[in-house]
Amino acid sequence: MFAFLRRRTKPTVRAPLRSIEWDGHELTLTLDVGVAAEVALDIEGFHFTTVPIDRDGRARFAFTFSPAEQTTFDLLPRLGRDGAGLTGEAFHVVLGTAGLQPAVRDTRAQARGQHEVFARCVPFGADVAAHEVAIVVPVYNASALVGPCLDALLDHTRGRAQLIVIDDASTDVAIAPLLARYASLERVRVLRNATNRGFTATANRGIELAGLADVVLLNADTEVGPNWLTGLRRAAYAGDDIATATAVSDNAGAFSVPELEQANTLPACWRFDDCARALWQGAGLAYPQLPTGNGFCLYIRRSVINAIGVLDDAAFAQGYGEENDFCQRAAQRGLRHVVAGNVLVRHARSQSFGEERRLALGLAGMAVLRERWPHYEAEVGATLYSFERRVLDWRVRRIYANARIDNAARPRLLWVGADAPAWADAEVWNLRANGAENELVFAGEVVAANTWQANDPETSYRALWDWLQIHAIECLIVRERKQSAAEILCGLLDIPIVQIGPMSAGSARAALRDAESALRSFPESRA
């Protein structure tokens, strides 16, 4: 009885669309031939990608994994980005199941328990925290941006790190007294070139001074946010064949999100730190791959430097091409370069040289790259719009579009066992035992679960290892240190462990205040 209420029908097709097919992993649209050149696709109400229509009038969208947090999601094809809808309404698909279904109002509720999270996690047991990192910041003028860049580094850098700041004989008289404020800090070195040597030679000086440490090349017109170095470390060590990991930015060419090669506007209702944390929690760990990294914020493994040498400062004296050449040399040895989509770094761009000279240097650098690496541009074109990258940009669009003053991302803290503190200024996630189940719980809902097996505990440890990364846990809070499995795994993943007193403070900020200085890589205050 009332079976007609449950009957599923296909969505209404609008011209020039003729038919839709979903085989569980690929959406195929057939249109009238010659009417349009491309079709766009929205997922859950946000633009995902645009693809060309072939000579037979077909446009195909293949799905390697679910872009959303569940196996089900709504699609709406359009005649070009932001164009007219090609169906009367969005329709519902299930990854792995053929056929179309009408859209539902709350796909997340319908799909509760069907979470499908694609993530390239650090291999189980790898000691990411053991890798010391030297952050190399070449400086040339732009004093108004250098101070905020260094202050953000001091505030947000955690783990084993040293900072090497090199003034490349700046002509800006404000640079010397500005850098003097940082010279006495622990694990910070402030140096000056006697004459201007150019960006690349200055960066090489920092790489050599770093000793055996991995290196992050960071432009002085950038601003980092929470978890930035932890995110880059994990991306760089997510595979043995990864050479470099590059952050994403509001303004860094091919590494700009959500719109490539554009200066993207951040949500006005959020601070930059809020935006960075939102991507840390929501951008995912797919790590799109490109044939190059970008020196505005580039993590380089020391083993790669040892294998192929430093940057070519003869061919690329002022920069603009030196990291591309370096990455191509690494690629010759079978190494890869990934995008750490969950690490957002703000970038002012062109502040040292200006836009006109930057463009000129870019053209000169590209001429050298074309001569040395004739297939480089084709490789960029083949990978720039990969499925992983489309998912990353789509997630950032969704995050920014949903930004409100009252929903800024809060730090995610993990508590093991009963009596988890209730703090309004943080998300306190709870790892608890429920019979034979280990459950990860937030806001009263089980986010993930694993069955404990006494004869095979490693299975549960591996599950927790992945949960810590996938769900972007920032800190483990404990009443007392026990060398528990959670503590050991957090230690390996560069997640700080903070002991709080028996009388919990009324907020996470207050409870963690005493530990904050010790957590920082550079704990001393600026003068």
Side-chain angles (χ1 to χ4, degrees):
M1 190 174 183
F2 303 120
F4 70 92
L5 292 177
R6 298 190 298 271
R7 186 162 54 236
R8 300 187 183 278
T9 59
K10 289 187 176 182
T12 303
V13 173
R14 291 177 173 172
L17 181 63
R18 295 168 57 191
S19 66
I20 313 170
E21 295 180 7
W22 169 256
D23 67 3
H25 292 279
E26 184 174 78
L27 180 72
T28 302
L29 306 177
T30 303
L31 296 90
D32 294 331
V33 176
V35 174
E38 60 184 21
V39 173
L41 187 68
D42 289 359
I43 299 179
E44 301 288 343
F46 301 101
H47 174 70
F48 178 64
T49 190
T50 302
V51 300
I53 302 171
D54 66 21
R55 64 178 62 185
D56 296 322
R58 291 186 177 88
R60 293 179 171 87
F61 303 85
F63 287 76
T64 306
F65 57 88
S66 173
E69 293 79 11
Q70 61 273 347
T71 58
T72 60
F73 42 91
D74 288 348
L75 304 177
L76 177 66
R78 294 183 180 275
L79 200 59
R81 182 167 181 175
D82 300 324
L86 291 172
T87 57
E89 61 284 316
F91 52 90
H92 193 57
V93 298
V94 181
L95 193 69
T97 301
L100 307 178
Q101 303 173 12
V104 294
R105 289 187 176 275
D106 187 2
T107 57
R108 187 181 302 273
Q110 187 191 44
R112 198 178 305 282
Q114 298 182 24
H115 297 284
E116 177 174 295
V117 179
F118 179 86
R120 292 189 169 101
C121 294
V122 174
F124 178 68
D127 191 353
V128 177
H131 298 280
E132 184 177 7
V133 181
I135 306 159
V136 177
V137 183
V139 172
Y140 182 74
N141 295 337
S143 56
L145 297 174
V146 174
C149 171
L150 299 181
D151 287 346
L153 275 173
L154 299 186
D155 288 341
H156 294 302
T157 305
R158 306 286 186 269
R160 297 186 61 197
Q162 56 177 300
L163 175 59
I164 301 173
V165 183
I166 306 176
D167 175 15
D168 191 22
S170 293
T171 58
D172 183 343
V173 296
I175 288 291
L178 171 64
L179 297 186
R181 296 170 44 202
Y182 305 89
S184 63
L185 300 184
E186 184 180 352
R187 295 191 291 278
V188 176
R189 300 174 70 177
V190 176
L191 308 168
R192 177 179 168 84
N193 293 338
T195 59
N196 183 268
R197 298 175 60 182
F199 177 89
T200 309
T202 302
N204 280 341
R205 184 185 181 191
I207 291 171
E208 291 162 356
L209 289 170
L212 299 178
D214 290 351
V215 170
V216 173
L217 296 179
L218 187 71
N219 282 8
D221 57 359
T222 59
E223 180 182 349
V224 301
N227 310 295
W228 79 279
L229 186 56
T230 296
L232 286 177
R233 269 196 185 105
R234 290 185 194 167
Y237 285 92
D240 292 337
D241 61 345
I242 295 176
T244 72
T246 303
V248 295
S249 179
D250 59 331
N251 188 16
F255 295 83
S256 298
V257 291
E259 309 304 331
L260 282 76
E261 302 293 350
Q262 295 185 28
N264 291 267
T265 302
L266 301 176
C269 57
W270 286 352
R271 301 171 303 137
F272 171 69
D273 287 0
D274 298 328
C275 298
R277 180 167 278 118
L279 265 64
W280 168 253
Q281 296 177 359
L285 306 177
Y287 300 140
Q289 184 175 322
L290 285 173
T292 185
N294 188 310
F296 88 98
C297 183
L298 180 68
Y299 189 110
I300 308 173
R301 290 169 60 158
R302 174 56 61 172
S303 59
V304 180
I305 299 170
N306 292 341
I308 68 172
V310 295
L311 307 171
D312 187 342
D313 54 19
F316 306 95
Q318 296 299 335
Y320 298 96
E322 79 290 350
E323 75 270 54
N324 314 78
D325 176 74
F326 177 89
C327 290
Q328 285 289 284
R329 284 153 48 199
Q332 276 194 319
R333 294 175 177 255
L335 300 176
R336 298 185 294 123
H337 310 285
V338 299
V339 182
N342 62 334
V343 178
L344 179 67
V345 174
R346 184 151 57 182
H347 188 205
R349 206 173 188 186
S350 304
Q351 294 300 305
S352 293
F353 298 117
E355 185 67 20
E356 184 175 344
R357 189 179 179 198
R358 184 187 74 81
L359 291 173
L361 290 170
L363 290 173
M366 183 54 68
V368 177
L369 291 173
R370 285 175 179 146
E371 181 178 355
R372 289 186 177 182
W373 312 105
H375 302 295
Y376 168 72
E377 287 178 286
E379 292 171 358
V380 171
T383 56
L384 191 57
Y385 295 97
S386 67
F387 181 77
E388 291 83 357
R389 180 55 193 266
R390 289 169 174 174
V391 170
L392 168 61
D393 290 334
W394 175 80
R395 288 180 175 176
V396 177
R397 284 187 200 104
R398 183 180 60 169
I399 289 169
Y400 287 176
N402 289 331
R404 302 189 311 272
I405 195 169
D406 61 346
N407 72 345
R410 295 171 292 161
R412 286 184 180 170
L413 314 179
L414 181 65
W415 178 271
V416 180
D419 303 320
W423 292 325
D425 60 340
E427 293 185 7
V428 181
W429 292 48
N430 187 205
L431 181 65
R432 70 185 187 191
N434 184 8
E437 294 293 301
N438 288 325
E439 297 177 340
L440 184 65
V441 180
F442 174 64
E445 293 193 12
V446 177
V447 178
N450 172 267
T451 302
W452 172 264
Q453 300 178 45
N455 61 342
D456 184 20
E458 184 176 310
T459 301
S460 292
Y461 298 153
R462 286 179 176 273
L464 176 56
W465 177 265
D466 289 348
W467 296 346
L468 291 169
Q469 298 173 71
I470 291 169
H471 299 294
I473 300 300
E474 292 187 32
C475 182
L476 174 65
I477 48 176
V478 297
R479 291 283 188 219
E480 57 180 322
R481 299 296 295 268
K482 299 179 179 179
Q483 279 298 297
S484 64
E487 291 180 47
I488 293 170
L489 297 182
C490 285
L492 295 173
L493 286 171
D494 204 21
I495 298 173
I497 304 164
V498 175
Q499 184 174 353
I500 62 174
M503 299 298 292
S504 296
S507 68
R509 181 182 296 274
L512 302 179
R513 184 180 294 121
D514 292 341
E516 178 62 24
S517 178
L519 293 177
R520 294 179 179 177
S521 301
F522 315 107
E524 295 183 29
S525 300
R526 277 84 76 193

